[in-house]
Amino acid sequence: MNNYEIDEKGFYGEFGGAFVPEILQKNVTELQNCYRQIMESDEFKQEFHALLRDYVGRPSPLYYAKRMSEKYGCKLYLKREDLNHTGAHKINNSLGQILLAKKMGKTRIIAETGAGQHGVATATACALMNMECIVYMGATDVERQRPNVERMRMLGATVVPVQSGNKTLKDACNEAIRDWCCNPKNTFYIVGSTMGPHPYPDLVAKMQSVISEEIKWQIKEKEGRDYPDYLMACIGGGSNAAGTIYHYMNDERVNIVLAEAGGLGVETGQTAASLNCGTIGVLHGSKMFVMQTDDGQIIEPYSISAGLDYPGVGPMHCKMFQDGRSKVLPITDDEALAAAFELTRMEGIIPALESAHALAILPHMKFKKDDVVVLTVSGRGDKDMQTYLKHMHKQD
Ligand SMILES: *Cc1c(COP(=O)(O)O)cnc(C)c1O
């Protein structure tokens, strides 16, 4: 029995559900009624898996990080989602959802993006499938993730900079939902993480579950058993973490330790640590831990990492955190930067800033020598070079 499956209304315990404006009710219900059936059909499975293999380059390697293992006193394996086509785990989900959109007869795709990885993945899927693509992105993120904006434009997508709020991911989500309300008939909204109204959290977790499906046989090949002692990942909306833990959620032998964006530190208020600092509320169609004031105003989040700069977190993770099934550490900007440089210098892998938050869990842990740790490197660091170079010059 899976304790972290949704109930028939799309709730994980008290979290989740579908809180949408009336005009979207029909769309959301349509999707709720067909997504499982389509995803479980042989035709979908075959198309999806062929794309994951031949287009994305899956399975992604499970790499034994020898020098880092010695340093932290464990057996550390990195799940290399950074090696996927377009450079992150997001492509798994975008390809899956565009297949779903086609089967539902939709012709126009919209998406929101923070770091631009979901925007690039969706623009890529749209180029491949010859679909119109509109990507909403906060104006702050358009500035700090410029290379991804150029990639989206080259792929043929229209990137719309959003000027409201602090011009980051939350504001991009608001605009995408607004667009969806105006174009409910022909438009499919490809949500980029395990958030949004039911069925998106479940749908996205299932699209990403290929990650832990692979970990199962890969770790069996390397260690002779099909489970690790620890699973680690960073958590923004929660999709790479959901994919990493999907097949182990009810396996109590496996400890789950996740990293959320602490920003300048949870005590400073300049943070995006929604699980550690949030209270229960509704954001973007779903009940979750949200950073908000006592009267329900959203508190503007802050993180150095555009992909984690969001004031909520997906409902499945809220339930697991509340139950104590997962441990979630707030990791500061400085810890993440140090971890990014450490991986680069010790293993020759430049990670995304988001993934660097997961790596920064390691110094907080006390391992036994034989502990098997699988940590997901959700993306590569090309898009963050500007931030990394600035940090390097500060150190000189
Ligand atoms: C978007 C992104 C994240 C955060 O999103 P999740 O849905 O929590 O996975 C993490 N890492 C990378 C590289 C991303 O692009």
Side-chain angles (χ1 to χ4, degrees):
M1 229 268 309
N2 186 344
N3 302 323
Y4 299 102
E5 269 294 328
I6 44 170
D7 65 21
E8 64 284 359
K9 294 218 165 90
F11 281 90
Y12 303 86
E14 65 184 300
F15 303 102
F19 300 84
V20 295
E22 203 170 312
I23 190 157
L24 287 181
Q25 206 70 56
K26 214 172 135 230
N27 277 55
V28 169
T29 309
E30 183 192 9
L31 188 58
Q32 286 168 358
N33 289 340
C34 75
Y35 80 105
R36 285 198 180 199
Q37 202 187 347
I38 294 177
M39 284 182 72
E40 281 159 18
S41 71
D42 287 337
E43 190 184 290
F44 179 92
K45 280 191 194 157
Q46 272 169 20
E47 277 180 68
F48 188 36
H49 283 280
L51 281 174
L52 290 179
R53 186 186 63 225
D54 300 333
Y55 191 70
V56 176
R58 302 202 72 93
S60 67
L62 187 69
Y63 165 70
Y64 178 64
K66 186 159 176 289
R67 293 186 61 202
M68 294 273 285
S69 293
E70 275 162 19
K71 170 153 188 183
Y72 289 106
C74 65
K75 294 184 184 172
L76 176 65
Y77 289 90
L78 303 177
K79 182 59 174 162
R80 300 288 309 277
E81 293 300 299
D82 60 310
L83 293 177
N84 292 343
H85 179 44
T86 71
H89 66 292
K90 298 270 171 40
I91 190 78
N92 305 327
N93 172 51
S94 293
L95 287 173
Q97 285 197 51
I98 207 160
L99 288 179
L100 199 55
K102 274 181 87 99
K103 302 227 180 292
M104 292 173 69
K106 306 288 180 181
T107 53
R108 179 175 177 272
I109 299 294
I110 57 170
E112 84 295 332
T113 196
Q117 288 301 122
H118 177 57
V120 168
T122 301
T124 299
C126 286
L128 181 69
M129 300 289 173
N130 192 24
M131 300 262 251
E132 185 186 359
C133 182
I134 295 105
V135 180
Y136 292 94
M137 187 172 189
T140 304
D141 293 336
V142 170
E143 282 313 308
R144 63 177 163 174
Q145 309 276 255
R146 182 132 311 264
N148 274 346
V149 176
E150 307 301 355
R151 287 163 83 196
M152 284 183 264
R153 292 196 169 131
M154 182 159 171
L155 286 158
T158 305
V159 180
V160 183
V162 176
Q163 303 290 350
S164 57
N166 60 349
K167 307 175 190 179
T168 60
L169 182 54
K170 155 182 75 70
D171 313 295
C173 291
N174 287 340
E175 275 312 303
I177 292 171
R178 203 160 297 154
D179 178 313
W180 201 21
C181 288
C182 296
N183 305 283
K185 265 222 167 70
N186 65 345
T187 298
F188 191 97
Y189 179 11
I190 298 192
V191 173
S193 190
T194 43
M195 42 184 235
H198 169 57
Y200 282 106
D202 183 49
L203 189 165
V204 175
K206 285 182 161 54
M207 298 293 185
Q208 293 291 1
S209 67
V210 63
I211 299 173
S212 60
E213 197 180 301
E214 291 172 2
I215 291 173
K216 262 203 138 131
W217 62 261
Q218 288 175 318
I219 202 72
K220 171 97 185 175
E221 264 182 21
K222 293 194 153 70
E223 290 291 334
R225 56 168 154 114
D226 69 356
Y227 67 96
D229 298 297
Y230 290 91
L231 282 171
M232 296 181 178
C234 67
I235 175 167
S239 71
N240 88 86
T244 301
I245 65 180
Y246 194 85
H247 288 89
Y248 296 106
M249 290 190 289
N250 293 307
D251 187 340
E252 297 287 339
R253 297 170 299 185
V254 181
N255 298 289
I256 297 171
V257 189
L258 306 173
E260 61 177 358
L264 299 183
V266 290
E267 67 292 343
T268 65
Q270 296 289 304
T271 183
S274 325
L275 286 170
N276 283 287
C277 300
T279 52
I280 296 172
V282 172
L283 182 63
H284 298 137
S286 165
K287 202 176 218 188
M288 55 171 85
F289 280 107
V290 182
M291 298 203 317
Q292 58 187 340
T293 60
D294 290 341
D295 50 3
Q297 294 293 321
I298 300 299
I299 297 171
E300 296 293 344
Y302 164 79
S303 166
I304 192 172
S305 159
L308 304 181
D309 199 351
Y310 182 73
V313 57
M316 187 186 90
H317 291 293
C318 294
K319 173 82 163 91
M320 295 183 93
F321 177 73
Q322 192 185 50
D323 287 354
R325 177 66 187 99
S326 62
K327 225 175 125 175
V328 181
L329 308 184
I331 298 294
T332 64
D333 290 359
D334 286 344
E335 289 178 295
L337 282 168
F341 278 84
E342 181 174 89
L343 186 73
T344 303
R345 297 291 169 87
M346 289 186 72
E347 300 288 347
I349 298 168
I350 303 179
L353 256 171
E354 292 81 8
S355 321
H357 284 72
L359 290 156
I361 296 171
L362 294 170
H364 290 272
M365 302 296 296
K366 269 217 157 58
F367 295 115
K368 294 197 289 286
K369 215 170 164 357
D370 289 333
D371 280 344
V372 174
V373 180
V374 173
L375 186 152
T376 294
V377 179
S378 53
R380 63 179 188 228
D382 308 37
K383 67 184 179 56
D384 299 307
M385 284 313 293
Q386 213 182 330
T387 309
Y388 288 153
L389 290 175
K390 213 157 76 188
H391 178 71
M392 230 162 50
H393 293 142
K394 253 198 288 186
Q395 308 274 298
D396 289 343

